[in-house]
Amino acid sequence: MTMTTKLAWDDTVLPFQLDRSDIRGRVARLDTTLNQILSQHDYPAPIEAMVAEMALLTALIGQTMKLRWKLSLQVRSDGPIRLIATDFLAPEAEGEPARIRAYASYDEDRLDLTAPAFPQIGSGYFAILIDQGQDMTPYQGITPIGGESLSACAETYFAQSEQLPTAFKLSYGKAQEPGQAEGWRAGGMMIQVMPESSLEAAEPPTSDEGTLTANDLVSDDKAEDWSRANILMDTADEMELIGPHVSPTDLLVRLFHEEQPRVFDALPVGFGCTCSEDRVRQSLSIYSAKDIAHMTTEEGRVTADCQFCGNHYDFDPLSLGFEAERAPDGSPV
């Protein structure tokens, strides 16, 4: 794999289908994108790891979003890692890249920097939200946090809420190539039984916690295909997922050559945020002058920071709220 080829596949999501097995999937690589996401914050190592995993899941799941839709993944919990939120912003037009952003909230006093990250999420829920645009009701699906990883939570979500057997294989971490600075690399794969091939869930569920799993949803005639695809996907090693020498197309041939893999157009992705001064003003437009006064600093300004990208906004309080006395340019309203 040449450097040119590697750069072409970095920060892309490649959809594919296994024609022999009626299974679809995606391969994602996040390199520059993940570095940009994490560079917006100064997170400790356990938080970086969880944000990296969540961003990779977001890329894999979000690839199916229609133009201008937004997919959000959220984890909210009672543990030291209180919140992880990611957004997948679908392309504005054909041929444009999708954008991903992410942030996390945590209790620094309770966070154990030497312990594994996922158990420090604690009890809570994993949610997927889809915003289809103006005048459309957003979709929301929620499942309890469980298993041993965020990808296990996502698998449970698809089994419970979508009735789709789904599995993930992810790898992420810091790496350094000769002569280059250390940076984050992430790669992963998602496989899923085609919707028309999945059947009603068997009763009762087989998981210990009483929630549905992928195996509960696979009919007998598809069980062998599903099991074989999972076994083959699990043989992918870390360097095949995130290393610089194996392209996603080569990886699919290595893993699934007997399953007749067929690839579709890759989707480029990058870091991006939708925050703007106008959006902040709009969010504050519901407040009265009295409310705005409570938000005003001793210096006589109202400030706001974007949690995703860190942009700082500074406003004249008299230009905010539905009782604004001045326009943004300082002129009387």
Side-chain angles (χ1 to χ4, degrees):
M1 186 175 180
T2 66
M3 178 62 68
T4 300
T5 305
K6 182 180 83 69
L7 291 174
W9 285 114
D10 284 356
D11 303 304
T12 59
V13 184
L14 177 70
F16 66 90
Q17 182 173 314
L18 306 180
D19 286 341
R20 177 185 172 189
S21 308
D22 259 353
I23 289 173
R24 65 184 179 185
R26 287 146 234 161
V27 182
R29 294 290 296 267
L30 298 183
D31 302 303
T32 302
T33 300
L34 184 56
N35 277 293
Q36 291 176 326
I37 288 172
L38 291 173
S39 69
Q40 310 303 313
H41 310 275
D42 185 20
Y43 291 138
I47 305 300
E48 284 188 318
M50 290 294 90
V51 171
E53 182 175 0
M54 196 79 148
L56 190 51
L57 287 171
T58 304
L60 286 165
I61 298 170
Q63 183 271 334
T64 59
M65 290 297 101
K66 296 182 179 180
L67 294 179
R68 294 178 291 278
W69 284 18
K70 182 175 78 172
L71 170 93
S72 299
L73 270 59
Q74 288 188 10
V75 164
R76 292 183 180 271
S77 76
D78 60 3
I81 303 176
R82 295 188 298 248
L83 170 69
I84 309 171
T86 58
D87 285 339
F88 180 98
L89 307 164
E92 290 293 317
E94 293 286 353
E96 294 185 3
R99 293 166 292 160
I100 299 176
R101 60 182 189 174
Y103 81 93
S105 174
Y106 61 98
D107 187 337
E108 187 174 0
D109 294 334
R110 297 167 60 201
L111 188 68
D112 186 346
L113 300 182
T114 63
F118 180 75
Q120 298 191 70
I121 292 176
S123 299
Y125 66 81
F126 176 95
I128 291 183
L129 303 92
I130 298 175
D131 183 351
Q132 303 175 48
Q134 191 173 4
D135 301 324
M136 297 293 291
T137 302
Y139 165 83
Q140 177 174 288
I142 295 176
T143 189
I145 292 171
E148 298 180 351
S149 65
L150 292 174
S151 58
C153 294
E155 290 171 359
T156 299
Y157 163 81
F158 278 105
Q160 292 282 108
S161 299
E162 305 294 332
Q163 302 281 288
L164 289 176
T166 306
F168 296 89
K169 173 83 172 183
L170 308 181
S171 183
Y172 48 88
K174 289 184 177 180
Q176 184 172 16
E177 295 183 46
Q180 298 186 23
E182 183 181 59
W184 278 89
R185 299 187 69 85
M189 183 178 296
M190 169 186 179
I191 58 173
Q192 192 172 64
V193 172
M194 300 282 279
E196 61 271 23
S197 300
S198 57
L199 301 180
E200 292 296 323
E203 294 291 347
T206 59
S207 70
D208 294 337
E209 297 180 357
T211 55
L212 290 172
T213 68
N215 290 335
D216 293 318
L217 299 166
V218 180
S219 59
D220 291 342
D221 61 330
K222 290 295 178 182
E224 183 178 344
D225 289 341
W226 177 246
S227 176
R228 184 174 62 252
N230 273 271
I231 291 171
L232 292 171
M233 183 175 71
D234 284 342
T235 64
D237 62 34
E238 182 177 46
M239 290 307 296
E240 287 178 315
L241 291 172
I242 68 172
H245 303 300
V246 181
S247 72
T249 50
D250 290 341
L251 177 58
L252 290 175
V253 172
R254 286 188 184 188
L255 298 177
F256 301 119
H257 61 279
E258 294 184 354
E259 305 300 310
Q260 301 170 13
R262 178 158 50 109
V263 300
F264 303 93
D265 292 338
L267 173 69
V269 296
F271 169 73
C273 193
T274 60
C275 74
S276 67
E277 181 175 317
D278 286 342
R279 285 178 179 267
V280 178
R281 286 187 178 279
Q282 184 177 9
S283 69
L284 295 172
S285 64
I286 62 173
Y287 294 102
S288 67
K290 182 178 180 180
D291 294 328
I292 297 296
H294 285 298
M295 304 177 194
T296 303
T297 66
E298 294 180 358
E299 291 75 25
R301 306 294 293 178
V302 173
T303 62
D305 296 308
C306 177
Q307 294 172 303
F308 287 101
C309 70
N311 275 348
H312 179 76
Y313 297 96
D314 186 291
F315 303 99
D316 176 353
L318 296 180
S319 69
L320 300 174
F322 62 82
E323 297 178 298
E325 299 177 15
R326 285 200 287 263
D329 63 1
S331 62
V333 174

